[in-house]
C-alpha cells in the first residue's frame, strides 16, 4: 500500500484534485441517479432514460461524461451498449452518501433534543429578513 493511502498520510495534490473532480461530476443529480442505478444493474441508455425520466439524448450525454471520467464502463451486447459501475469505492461513496440523507433531503442522523434538524439543502436559499 503506498504511503499516501494510509489513513494518517496527507493526500497529495493530485489525489485532492481527482477526488474533487469526482465529487464535482457526481454533484449533478441526474448523473448521481445514473451512477446509483448502474451500481445495481447493468443496463442500456433507453432503459436508463425511462427510469430517470430524462430524454435519451440527455442520458447519453451524461453517460459519456461518466464514462470519460472512468466512473462508468460499457460493453457491447449485440446492438446494445450496456453500462455499469464496477468500482466498489464509487458504489460505497454513493451508497453511504444517500444512506446519510433522508428522503426529504435532510441529513439523516440520530435526533438531538438540543438541536433541531437542518432543513433540506435543495431549492433556492431562504433569505432572512433584513433589519434596518
Amino acid at each position: 500500500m503506498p504511503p499516501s493511502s494510509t489513513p494518517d498520510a496527507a493526500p497529495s495534490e493530485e489525489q485532492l484534485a481527482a477526488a474533487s473532480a469526482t465529487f464535482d461530476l457526481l454533484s449533478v443529480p441526474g448523473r448521481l441517479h445514473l451512477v446509483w442505478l448502474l451500481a445495481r444493474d447493468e443496463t442500456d441508455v433507453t432503459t436508463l432514460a425511462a427510469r430517470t425520466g430524462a430524454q435519451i439524448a440527455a442520458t447519453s450525454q451524461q453517460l459519456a461524461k461518466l464514462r470519460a471520467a472512468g466512473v462508468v464502463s460499457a460493453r457491447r451486447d449485440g446492438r446494445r451498449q450496456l453500462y455499469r459501475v464496477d468500482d466498489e469505492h464509487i458504489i460505497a461513496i454513493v451508497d453511504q452518501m444517500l444512506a446519510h440523507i433522508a428522503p426529504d433531503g435532510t441529513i439523516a442522523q440520530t435526533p438531538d433534543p438540543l438541536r433541531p434538524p437542518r432543513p433540506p439543502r435543495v431549492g433556492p436559499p431562504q433569505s432572512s429578513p433584513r433589519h434596518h
Side-chain angles (χ1 to χ4, degrees):
M1 179 181 286
S4 59
S5 298
T6 61
D8 294 332
S12 69
E13 291 297 321
E14 293 80 7
Q15 285 175 306
L16 291 169
S20 177
T22 301
F23 280 116
D24 187 48
L25 187 70
L26 296 175
S27 72
V28 176
R31 281 189 223 135
L32 185 59
H33 193 185
L34 290 172
V35 170
W36 183 86
L37 288 167
L38 292 170
R40 278 140 188 81
D41 188 26
E42 180 181 61
T43 192
D44 61 57
V45 67
T46 304
T47 303
L48 288 167
R51 287 182 183 170
T52 60
Q55 297 293 318
I56 292 173
T59 302
S60 183
Q61 287 178 341
Q62 299 293 8
L63 287 168
K65 289 179 181 182
L66 291 166
R67 217 173 147 199
V71 173
V72 167
S73 59
R75 70 175 179 88
R76 184 132 324 260
D77 181 35
R79 298 176 68 166
R80 296 184 323 154
Q81 187 85 349
L82 297 176
Y83 298 89
R84 67 187 172 280
V85 175
D86 293 321
D87 188 332
E88 293 296 324
H89 295 101
I90 295 291
I91 294 168
I93 288 169
V94 171
D95 285 348
Q96 288 176 14
M97 184 184 317
L98 294 174
H100 188 63
I101 300 172
D104 68 356
T106 58
I107 301 298
Q109 55 190 351
T110 306
D112 181 349
L114 302 176
R115 208 171 174 185
R118 287 188 261 172
R121 293 185 184 172
V122 289
Q126 297 177 354
S127 61
S128 58
R130 288 185 155 177
H131 295 91
H132 294 281

